[in-house]
Amino acid sequence: MAIKKSELYSSLWASCDELRGGMDASQYKDYVLVLLFVKYVSDKYAGVPYAPITIPEGASFKDMAALKGKPDIGDQINKKIIGPLANANKLSDMPDFNDPGKLGSSQEIVDRLTNLISIFENKALDFSKNRADGDDILGDAYEYLMRHFAAESGKSKGQFYTPAEVSRIMAQIIGIHEAVTTNDTTVYDPTCGSGSLLLKVGDEAKANVTLYGQEKDAATSGLARMNMILHNNPTAEIKQGNTLANPRFTSDDGQLKTFDFVVANPPFSDKRWSTGLDALNDPHERFKHYGTPPAKQGDYAYLLHIIRSLKSTGKGACILPHGVLFRGNAEADIRRNLIRRGYIKGIIGLPANLFYGTGIPACIVVIDKENAHARKGIFMINASAGFMKDGPKNRLRDCDIHKIVDVFNRRDDSDAKYARTVSGEEIEKNDFNLNIPRYIDSQQAEDIQDIEGHLKGGIPSRDVDALAAYWQVCPQLRQALFSPRPQGEGPEVRVGYVDLATPKQAIKTTIYEHPEFVAYITDMNGHFAVWRQRVTQTLTSLKPDCHPKTVIHDLAEDLLAHYAGKPLINRYAVFQHLMDYWAATMQDDCYLIAADGWKAETTRIVETNKKGKEVDKGWTCDLIPKPLIVARYFASQQAGIREQEAALESIAAQMAEMEEEQGGEDGLFAELDKVNKANVTARLKEIKGDPEAKDEAAALNGWLKLCTQEANLKKALKDAEAELDALAYAQYPKLREADIKTLVVEDKWLAAIAADIHGEMDRISQTLTQRVKELAERYETPLPALTGKVAELSARVAAHLKKMGFEV
């Protein structure tokens, strides 16, 4: 059976336990990732003629495994494996596997490296057989490890990694997915770190493109090179060096090489950006037409390097701190010059605390030289509120990413609180300040308390009008919930205020049972049923060689389009439900199908106890869990078990009730230290024949009878569960492929997705119910009534005090 993605990730992460404690995460990542690299290239390229990666004789993972347990294992790995592999493939700055300061000395280093190699010897980690064509399962595993290493590396040491979610946004907004690309199309990252951002951009192109990257840190540049190979980009050029002081990609005449696309996540506000560089006499003229960045703020130095590195039609994107949008002095001059030249196409404000090593919010500045002279404004997005918490950091969800990309690529400014095109004239009036809140007010409208409503009663009509989205779908529902507010005792209506037309406790029922709302829910259920029927055919047609990433892309885009324009429901929320389920369950299932086909194989669960003995803990099936088999084939047996469970709960409740009633000092069980079968039996023997203990004996016998029934039921339940388990286990070999498809697609995948999406419909009705109830309670009792109530209560208190002899 092929290894699941989640198992692959956890296996690799477990390898880090062998190194934790000896060194910082920013260091031990190098050893784990290098070992992953050696294992992968050995599995894929060892013995393959004309392979893009050379595996020297004696330098494969198999040769490394032969060194386990040897007293000089670290030195041998350096000399026989890492050295020859690095030299043959122009890899530099590989970690020292014989460093006692990091790996320990004598036997400690031997044990640590031996255990680490053993983890990668797991047969399930045969990377040549566990790679779905077109899906970089190894590259994704590398990405997973990089993210976890970055999270553990602490402040200033996690900068080698750009969060994959941000990389995906940048890759999808610079236009490479729309461009006609060839092998001559060039993509460049001047501060490439581990290369994840560069790879994401390359993945968006319709054809293979050529990747270039430069990284200042020597060890990180080595990781980037390995990352390229793991992602099937062995020809990518990664060079080491300081990009600003010593750019490594230049033409024959010494000028900067220019590229079609440039992306970067440079170090924020680099205070040493000018080290080794005469900024006033820059030989590459990066600052000549715009201004020299301040000595202690390097953000614009990197941005200007990007602009200089773009072709005349080039496009790029750069992650920068928000300060670049509004800081003054030299940066204000640079910003003004860039805006006037029309190079800035867009700005996307991101949530705070996304990046490793810093918690400050950042933005993406989108550069487009093509038709820059005709650009009349800048498209801005404030996406700062769309994220989820992930431990100490924030993360963009799939729906957040998709919304940003959709809105930016369509220039959709229909939601003025999220995005808008800001004209050059407006920017100039604000002295070329690009701070996003100046142009997009994303704050939620304040829930205003209506003074007149509090004084005279009545719900303000404007608050009811604010629920217009509901009334457009259910116009008569408004009349069912609200009625005109009388002016006084007469029939005259008080304009601008309404009363609740139904009892407060009946609000939910009024909404849920209203014909228009029922019709809406029915229509939406039918709408989902149409999509479900369509994708059932698609999913049951999946072949063993399917590409899981293509499967979820097509499925998710289809679902998103299916809910476009539907009222009340947020199509991005629906989309997120699917993506969450994909990440949790469906992804692993699809990779199993891609590797093994529609097979429902069971696996025995064997664990080793403290005494070293193997214990059978039952069985499992990843693709079709036991509950699905039981629900479809053995529902009657399951129903019988549930009846037994209910009976068992009833008896337990009766016993607990007896113990509660008779357990006090005066209770019939007072003589028992603890109510259990042994104590009750012993007590019955003590009082046997005692006429004064007749009631106590009756109570104890009653409890004992229940105890016996409970024991018999527990045994019967255990036997029934064992019988059902055997029936379910025996059913798997009988399953035909059509049965497996039905169980997986309909009973598992689509049933779970349906439950999540129907839950979204519940949220819609609950939101309306809560808001109507909130308004009703807010204006339920006007101030005069409250004052009268206070006066009444005060008078009653005064009267009581007077009776007690006190004068108020």
Side-chain angles (χ1 to χ4, degrees):
M1 180 183 292
I3 190 170
K4 298 192 296 182
K5 262 196 170 189
S6 57
E7 290 176 353
L8 171 63
Y9 296 165
S10 60
S11 294
L12 297 178
W13 190 239
S15 66
C16 303
D17 288 330
E18 293 300 326
L19 296 171
R20 283 193 181 97
M23 67 193 83
D24 182 81
S26 62
Q27 296 175 323
Y28 70 69
K29 76 175 188 304
D30 299 341
Y31 292 93
V32 175
L33 293 175
V34 166
L35 211 58
L36 169 65
F37 173 77
V38 173
K39 179 68 167 70
Y40 171 67
V41 296
S42 297
D43 286 352
K44 189 166 180 66
Y45 298 120
V48 178
Y50 309 110
I53 301 300
T54 302
I55 312 296
E57 187 71 27
S60 70
F61 179 80
K62 183 179 179 181
D63 299 305
M64 182 187 284
L67 299 174
K68 290 192 307 178
K70 294 186 179 296
D72 59 346
I73 181 174
D75 185 52
Q76 290 295 311
I77 289 176
N78 284 341
K79 291 179 179 178
K80 292 185 176 180
I81 312 296
I82 303 301
L85 196 60
N87 292 333
N89 296 284
K90 299 179 180 179
L91 298 171
S92 58
D93 299 292
M94 304 294 272
D96 181 2
F97 279 78
N98 198 36
D99 186 342
K102 295 178 181 178
L103 296 170
S105 56
S106 61
Q107 192 59 37
E108 185 180 6
I109 192 172
V110 175
D111 293 342
R112 180 167 276 166
L113 291 176
T114 296
N115 292 339
L116 191 57
I117 293 170
S118 297
I119 290 171
F120 285 85
E121 283 187 298
N122 184 341
K123 291 182 180 180
L125 296 178
D126 182 350
F127 298 145
S128 64
K129 296 179 181 179
N130 284 287
R131 183 190 181 95
D133 187 28
D135 279 273
D136 272 320
I137 191 167
L138 252 294
D140 289 348
Y142 189 89
E143 186 82 34
Y144 171 91
L145 290 173
M146 292 299 285
R147 175 161 59 87
H148 280 71
F149 285 132
E152 289 198 358
S153 291
K155 191 173 182 180
S156 82
K157 293 180 180 178
Q159 295 177 355
F160 57 80
Y161 176 71
T162 301
E165 298 83 10
V166 180
S167 297
R168 284 166 57 192
I169 292 173
M170 296 175 72
Q172 294 175 53
I173 62 174
I174 60 174
I176 195 169
H177 63 291
E178 298 175 338
V180 177
T181 53
T182 66
N183 202 45
D184 294 329
T185 303
T186 54
V187 182
Y188 168 56
D189 185 344
T191 57
C192 70
S194 61
S196 59
L197 172 55
L198 191 56
L199 285 164
K200 288 289 188 298
V201 177
D203 286 343
E204 286 297 319
K206 294 178 181 177
N208 290 333
V209 296
T210 304
L211 305 180
Y212 299 85
Q214 183 167 340
E215 169 54 37
K216 182 178 181 179
D217 183 80
T220 304
S221 68
L223 293 180
R225 173 66 177 149
M226 289 188 289
N227 201 3
M228 297 297 131
I229 295 170
L230 288 172
H231 276 86
N232 266 355
N233 282 281
T235 59
E237 288 192 44
I238 304 295
K239 296 187 177 182
Q240 189 268 324
N242 185 327
T243 295
L244 295 180
N246 180 29
R248 300 290 304 280
F249 295 102
T250 56
S251 57
D252 293 337
D253 60 359
Q255 295 300 308
L256 285 183
K257 179 179 174 62
T258 56
F259 304 88
D260 296 298
F261 299 93
V262 180
V263 291
N265 176 19
F268 288 177
S269 303
D270 186 357
K271 290 179 170 50
R272 296 188 295 273
W273 70 270
S274 60
T275 302
L277 170 68
D278 183 357
L280 296 177
N281 297 289
D282 176 29
H284 303 292
E285 300 184 337
R286 288 168 286 190
F287 318 129
K288 180 178 180 180
H289 303 291
Y290 312 99
T292 303
K296 299 298 184 182
Q297 297 281 4
D299 300 309
Y300 273 108
Y302 290 101
L303 184 61
L304 292 175
H305 176 84
I306 289 173
I307 291 171
R308 184 68 180 82
S309 300
L310 282 169
K311 294 180 179 178
S312 60
T313 58
K315 298 167 175 59
C318 184
I319 301 169
L320 294 169
H322 271 281
V324 302
L325 303 178
F326 54 79
R327 289 194 296 247
N329 302 319
E331 292 186 307
D333 294 335
I334 297 172
R335 187 167 59 246
R336 182 184 301 108
N337 289 325
L338 289 175
I339 294 170
R340 283 177 171 167
R341 287 174 180 265
Y343 285 162
I344 301 178
K345 180 180 182 179
I347 298 169
I348 301 170
L350 299 171
N353 203 26
L354 285 182
F355 297 89
Y356 299 98
T358 181
I360 66 172
C363 63
I364 301 173
V365 177
V366 185
I367 302 296
D368 189 352
K369 281 190 172 181
E370 190 172 21
N371 298 320
H373 64 282
R375 190 161 288 121
K376 301 298 183 183
I378 296 175
F379 189 73
M380 295 186 180
I381 294 178
N382 189 343
S384 59
F387 63 89
M388 62 173 281
K389 293 296 295 180
D390 183 19
K393 305 301 291 183
N394 295 332
R395 286 188 68 188
L396 295 169
R397 298 163 296 179
D398 291 284
C399 63
D400 301 320
I401 297 167
H402 211 299
K403 184 177 180 181
I404 291 171
V405 172
D406 285 350
V407 169
F408 187 88
N409 288 341
R410 293 198 307 260
R411 305 295 184 275
D412 180 2
D413 53 7
S414 57
D415 182 358
K417 288 187 173 294
Y418 186 77
R420 64 178 288 237
T421 299
V422 183
S423 68
E425 292 80 3
E426 185 177 355
I427 292 172
E428 188 167 358
K429 285 180 182 178
N430 282 288
D431 199 24
F432 297 93
N433 186 313
L434 295 178
N435 197 20
I436 296 174
R438 276 182 178 254
Y439 306 99
I440 301 175
D441 180 9
S442 60
Q443 291 185 343
Q444 294 295 319
E446 185 179 354
D447 191 7
I448 299 173
Q449 298 281 342
D450 189 278
I451 302 301
E452 187 175 343
H454 284 298
L455 289 173
K456 299 181 178 180
I459 299 170
S461 296
R462 70 161 181 270
D463 286 331
V464 180
D465 294 340
L467 300 168
Y470 288 94
W471 315 139
Q472 289 172 5
V473 176
C474 308
Q476 299 304 314
L477 177 58
R478 178 171 182 162
Q479 280 69 45
L481 289 168
F482 304 102
S483 60
R485 174 82 177 178
Q487 181 71 29
E489 296 298 328
E492 186 178 349
V493 173
R494 182 166 159 231
V495 178
Y497 295 87
V498 295
D499 281 333
L500 191 64
T502 185
K504 194 168 59 176
Q505 62 271 20
I507 293 173
K508 181 177 180 180
T509 305
T510 302
I511 294 171
Y512 276 67
E513 296 181 358
H514 193 275
E516 289 177 337
F517 194 80
V518 171
Y520 168 72
I521 295 296
T522 302
D523 177 65
M524 292 303 295
N525 289 342
H527 189 69
F528 175 77
V530 170
W531 181 81
R532 178 172 184 161
Q533 183 176 7
R534 181 169 69 240
V535 300
T536 296
Q537 298 174 2
T538 301
L539 293 173
T540 52
S541 299
L542 293 179
K543 303 296 183 185
D545 58 350
C546 67
H547 298 172
K549 287 184 179 177
T550 302
V551 171
I552 187 56
H553 175 270
D554 293 346
L555 197 66
E557 292 301 318
D558 186 41
L559 182 63
L560 197 63
H562 190 68
Y563 277 87
K566 284 296 174 182
L568 299 180
I569 194 165
N570 183 334
R571 69 188 186 118
Y572 288 103
V574 173
F575 168 85
Q576 188 61 41
H577 284 305
L578 172 60
M579 299 309 295
D580 287 343
Y581 183 67
W582 171 262
T585 301
M586 195 173 171
Q587 174 180 233
D588 279 337
D589 290 348
C590 279
Y591 273 92
L592 290 176
I593 293 167
D596 299 331
W598 294 92
K599 295 180 181 178
E601 299 178 349
T602 55
T603 305
R604 301 302 304 187
I605 303 172
V606 179
E607 296 180 0
T608 303
N609 62 19
K610 295 180 180 179
K611 296 180 179 180
K613 293 184 178 180
E614 292 187 344
V615 180
D616 189 337
K617 291 290 185 177
W619 55 275
T620 185
C621 179
D622 291 324
L623 193 60
I624 304 178
K626 174 183 168 182
L628 294 179
I629 293 288
V630 170
R632 181 164 281 271
Y633 296 102
F634 307 106
S636 60
Q637 290 90 333
Q638 182 66 53
I641 287 175
R642 285 177 180 153
E643 289 178 4
Q644 289 177 304
E645 289 173 340
L648 193 59
E649 288 177 5
S650 175
I651 290 174
Q654 292 178 57
M655 293 171 69
E657 184 178 356
M658 286 185 68
E659 292 165 18
E660 179 70 23
E661 290 178 354
Q662 306 297 341
E665 291 183 3
D666 298 327
L668 297 175
F669 294 170
E671 297 298 323
L672 300 175
D673 292 333
K674 186 177 181 180
V675 183
N676 57 34
K677 185 177 180 180
N679 288 346
V680 169
T681 303
R683 179 60 181 166
L684 282 170
K685 288 181 179 179
E686 288 178 17
I687 61 175
K688 186 177 182 180
D690 185 351
E692 294 185 1
K694 183 178 179 182
D695 293 339
E696 181 184 355
L700 291 172
N701 278 312
W703 185 92
L704 199 60
K705 181 179 179 182
L706 289 173
C707 182
T708 302
Q709 291 176 357
E710 182 186 47
N712 292 336
L713 261 177
K714 283 182 176 179
K715 183 180 183 306
L717 182 60
K718 184 178 180 180
D719 292 343
E721 288 174 339
E723 181 183 355
L724 179 58
D725 185 75
L727 288 171
Y729 186 72
Q731 186 65 32
Y732 283 90
K734 302 176 185 177
L735 296 175
R736 300 167 300 163
E737 184 174 290
D739 300 326
I740 296 172
K741 289 180 176 181
T742 298
L743 285 160
V744 174
V745 175
E746 296 185 28
D747 294 6
K748 186 180 183 183
W749 293 349
L750 292 178
I753 295 168
D756 288 338
I757 293 178
H758 291 323
E760 195 65 25
M761 300 306 302
D762 290 338
R763 186 193 61 77
I764 290 171
S765 56
Q766 289 168 7
T767 301
L768 178 60
T769 300
Q770 290 169 3
R771 181 56 176 167
V772 172
K773 185 178 180 182
E774 180 183 33
L775 291 173
E777 291 177 343
R778 179 181 295 174
Y779 301 104
E780 187 173 27
T781 309
L783 184 59
L786 288 173
T787 304
K789 186 67 173 177
V790 170
E792 179 189 344
L793 291 173
S794 296
R796 289 170 62 182
V797 170
H800 284 302
L801 289 172
K802 188 174 182 179
K803 288 180 180 179
M804 296 167 63
F806 296 96
E807 290 293 334
V808 180

